[in-house]
Amino acid sequence: MKRKIGIGFVALFLFISVVPSLGMLVGGSEASLENRELAELPELKTEDGWNLAFLGDMGEWYEDHFAFRNELVTAYGLITGKVFGTSSQDSVIVGTDNWLYYMDSLSDYQGTDLMTERQLFDAAHTLSMIQTYAEQNGVDFIFTIAPNKASLYGENMPYYYSGYCEDENNLSNFLPWLEAEGVNYVDLYEVFEETDEVLYHARDSHWNNRGAALAADVLLTALGQEHTSYENADYEIRTDYSGDLEEMVYPAAVTLEDEIYYDPEPQFTYVEEVESNYSAKIYTQSTSTGSLVMYRDSFCNALLPFLAESFGDAYFSRGVPYQLATDLASCSATTLIIERAERFIPEIAENPPVMSGLLVTDGSADGLDYTESIQDLTLTDQGVYTKLTGTLEEGSYDVDSQIYIRINDLLVYEAFPVSLDEDTEGFVLYVPTSLLYEDGNRYEMGLS
């Protein structure tokens, strides 16, 4: 009897193991519903010759496309989530009361992997330099941070993660630097924290339309931009929203959430057809006035309609680094908004925008000790600009040292401070190529 049971288990195991492959033979592979990019079918031979990684690539493709994948991923997710209270996906945290959180925000929640003081300065000073450039070109500027869901609504985080470290995380540490650098910052965390209504989706990493409308109202009010407030507008609730985290864990058994839809909805038009508000570049028009350039991430998917309605022309970009000079000029921008999710604060210190360096004309950098010995100095031809990069010698700079590059004893530019890693600091400077000599130039660096 025991032998028959053992054989039965073996047969069942073998059946389960071969079903995905057999399913591909009779019905083809199944497209995953997960919110991520899937592996493409590899080629055995490419233009460069035989693909030596074919077997490994094929294995990755099979993992993403085998038959009944969505159902099996969902079944595993339900077992681990509902029975054991843990997540089947490394990128998702399964919380209580059917809440899901994004794993990338855990370090912010626990106050770990903190930015150094120099990195905080790098990020804040970069934003200050962007603001100066915008104002020099007659463009209004504000910067804002979209709070992580766990930072606002951490009561459903699993018990085995320590509670929210409110006073010691990158966001709380960043705010004094933003103030010191004079950055026009709009604090959405404070606004959301003071609101009793839950404005984020339970099974998505972002705010809902109600939260997006509130964020837009706060931003536009800070800018003094005439706009429609949706605080008391009519709306209906539809249970039709599919959360991004839900799709990762339970792709074949998504539980739809409530979403708010305003009546009438924001009035604007897309200049070009877009697949979704997550598209890399989006142009919009409306009957309002002013021209907006906005650098954004996925939090702007819901925010976009409310901002698009409030500007005659608007350009929304997810591209990094920001093509600041080109975008402000080509869009005849009157307003610049930069929005970053809380978990992306460190990236501000790593990716300065593409724009001409700030030319120093007030003599404030004349008394510095300049040196031609610049570590790792690299010049890259980028057409209109020549890009200069280099590193700083350890111990040669203070927490808030600014970096100046003097060229041919004539021009002095301030370079963007860049955090290359926790132990290495550097700089990036874009100089108009037309100002350089063709037969060689002298570059010197000074630190304040």
Side-chain angles (χ1 to χ4, degrees):
M1 181 65 178
K2 291 182 179 179
R3 185 165 180 259
K4 290 182 178 179
I5 293 176
I7 293 174
F9 275 120
V10 171
L12 178 61
F13 174 78
L14 292 174
F15 175 75
I16 293 174
S17 300
V18 301
V19 160
S21 297
L22 292 175
M24 294 179 71
L25 293 176
V26 298
S29 62
E30 182 173 358
S32 173
L33 299 176
E34 296 169 75
N35 187 21
R36 65 183 182 85
E37 187 174 346
L38 304 181
E40 297 183 358
L41 183 65
E43 296 181 358
L44 181 58
K45 192 173 184 180
T46 67
E47 295 179 356
D48 299 325
W50 294 102
N51 181 7
L52 300 181
F54 177 78
L55 292 179
D57 294 343
M58 194 66 186
E60 292 179 4
W61 177 84
Y62 178 81
E63 289 178 5
D64 282 351
H65 295 272
F66 61 76
F68 312 115
R69 186 182 197 282
N70 293 326
E71 288 77 8
L72 293 172
V73 169
T74 300
Y76 181 57
L78 289 171
I79 292 172
T80 57
K82 305 296 184 181
V83 178
F84 300 105
T86 60
S87 176
S88 62
Q89 298 291 324
D90 292 339
S91 57
V92 180
I93 297 172
V94 173
T96 60
D97 200 22
N98 291 322
W99 275 59
L100 300 175
Y101 298 89
Y102 198 37
M103 180 63 78
D104 278 6
S105 65
L106 182 59
S107 61
D108 292 317
Y109 180 75
Q110 296 184 313
T112 59
D113 295 332
L114 296 177
M115 298 169 67
T116 66
E117 289 297 298
R118 178 63 186 184
Q119 289 171 332
L120 292 167
F121 166 79
D122 289 346
H125 194 65
T126 291
L127 291 168
S128 176
M129 292 175 68
I130 291 174
Q131 178 173 297
T132 298
Y133 182 85
E135 292 174 347
Q136 288 177 348
N137 288 275
V139 179
D140 294 330
F141 171 78
I142 59 172
F143 167 69
T144 193
I145 295 172
N148 297 332
K149 185 169 76 171
S151 300
L152 289 169
Y153 310 110
E155 57 271 20
N156 289 309
M157 283 285 283
Y159 71 91
Y160 44 82
Y161 293 125
S162 59
Y164 179 47
C165 191
E166 184 174 4
D167 298 324
E168 188 64 24
N169 56 56
N170 284 335
L171 177 57
S172 62
N173 292 343
F174 193 36
L175 298 184
W177 281 107
L178 290 174
E179 183 177 1
E181 290 294 318
V183 176
N184 295 332
Y185 171 65
V186 178
D187 193 341
L188 293 180
Y189 176 85
E190 183 178 19
V191 173
F192 277 74
E193 189 182 36
E194 294 176 352
T195 304
D196 293 333
E197 186 178 0
V198 176
L199 300 174
Y200 279 52
H201 290 289
R203 307 176 75 71
D204 190 276
S205 55
H206 306 93
W207 48 41
N208 57 25
N209 283 342
R210 186 77 166 168
L214 174 60
D217 189 35
V218 173
L219 295 175
L220 293 166
T221 299
L223 287 165
Q225 181 75 12
E226 185 176 347
H227 66 283
T228 299
S229 173
Y230 286 82
E231 182 179 1
N232 299 312
D234 293 334
Y235 64 85
E236 64 173 320
I237 298 176
R238 305 176 202 160
T239 308
D240 63 357
Y241 188 83
S242 176
D244 59 352
L245 303 178
E246 175 92 0
E247 292 173 352
M248 292 182 194
V249 183
Y250 313 118
V254 172
T255 301
L256 297 179
E257 291 189 64
D258 290 347
E259 181 58 287
I260 286 174
Y261 295 90
Y262 289 96
D263 185 19
E265 63 185 7
Q267 301 298 300
F268 70 96
T269 58
Y270 294 100
V271 175
E272 301 171 346
E273 185 176 349
V274 297
E275 185 175 340
S276 73
N277 281 356
Y278 197 69
S279 296
K281 297 180 180 180
I282 296 176
Y283 295 89
T284 65
Q285 291 182 335
S286 79
T287 58
S288 299
T289 59
S291 177
L292 170 69
V293 169
M294 182 171 187
Y295 299 117
R296 42 69 66 115
D297 50 42
S298 57
F299 270 91
C300 193
N301 293 358
L303 186 62
L304 185 149
F306 304 101
L307 297 179
E309 178 185 55
S310 303
F311 290 90
D313 299 281
Y315 169 61
F316 302 88
S317 172
R318 289 177 47 238
V320 175
Y322 307 144
Q323 303 297 312
L324 191 65
T326 300
D327 293 339
L328 293 187
S330 63
C331 296
S332 300
T334 59
T335 302
L336 171 64
I337 300 177
I338 296 179
E339 172 272 317
R340 296 300 282 163
E342 179 183 346
R343 65 180 183 272
F344 293 143
I345 293 175
E347 295 185 6
I348 302 172
E350 302 167 0
N351 298 291
V354 179
M355 58 172 245
S356 176
L358 298 178
L359 187 62
V360 181
T361 58
D362 60 0
S364 58
D366 289 350
L368 302 179
D369 292 328
Y370 285 91
T371 175
E372 286 189 81
S373 178
I374 305 176
Q375 286 191 154
D376 306 314
L377 179 62
T378 302
L379 279 65
T380 306
D381 183 5
Q382 297 198 345
V384 175
Y385 295 116
T386 295
K387 180 181 179 182
L388 281 68
T389 61
T391 59
L392 305 185
E393 182 180 351
E394 186 176 357
S396 66
Y397 56 90
D398 297 326
V399 168
D400 59 351
S401 289
Q402 297 172 220
I403 305 167
Y404 298 92
I405 304 297
R406 186 166 64 186
I407 304 175
N408 299 326
D409 293 319
L410 297 174
L411 303 173
V412 177
Y413 287 94
E414 183 175 2
F416 283 105
V418 174
S419 173
L420 302 175
D421 57 49
E422 187 174 347
D423 301 316
T424 306
E425 287 289 318
F427 69 86
V428 171
L429 172 65
Y430 293 92
V431 179
T433 303
S434 60
L435 298 180
L436 300 177
Y437 301 141
E438 293 183 0
D439 56 352
N441 298 272
R442 182 185 181 196
Y443 302 99
E444 300 170 283
M445 182 177 70
L447 301 175
S448 65

